[in-house]
Amino acid sequence: MNRAVAPPARPLWEKIFGFIGIAAHVVVGFFYLTAGLVTPAPWLVGLILVWVALLIVGILLLRRRPLLVLIVPVVALGLLVGGISLGEALLGWTA
């Protein structure tokens, strides 16, 4: 008979860092919302959808690889700054 062996449980400190990553992503979400001062509404909706997609990725990573969750807010902030910069340079967005 085949018996499935459960993977070893993650240490508590890894889970704590994972939750810190999710909390940091929520903080970055505030900056996504304030980007509405610079971006037009349709582009803001797109940016918020990107943030939500990254939140889902972070939650999935929290279950499988908690330490990788720390990368998610960094990627989210990079995409926000890059998107706003491109919008200003190519589409003429101003505050």
Side-chain angles (χ1 to χ4, degrees):
M1 293 196 158
N2 276 339
R3 290 190 177 174
V5 178
R10 298 270 180 204
L12 180 63
W13 65 270
E14 284 187 12
K15 292 180 182 179
I16 291 172
F17 277 112
F19 282 109
I20 289 171
I22 294 291
H25 189 65
V26 170
V27 170
V28 170
F30 172 74
F31 294 112
Y32 269 75
L33 291 175
T34 58
L37 297 172
V38 178
T39 62
W43 291 96
L44 180 63
V45 170
L47 285 172
I48 291 174
L49 288 176
V50 167
W51 182 85
V52 169
L54 286 171
L55 178 63
I56 292 169
V57 168
I59 291 170
L60 292 175
L61 284 174
L62 184 62
R63 301 176 81 192
R64 294 187 181 103
R65 307 277 308 262
L67 291 179
L68 292 180
V69 178
L70 294 171
I71 297 172
V72 174
V74 175
V75 170
L77 191 59
L79 288 174
L80 177 65
V81 170
I84 297 295
S85 297
L86 279 174
E88 287 177 343
L90 301 177
L91 302 173
W93 297 346
T94 58

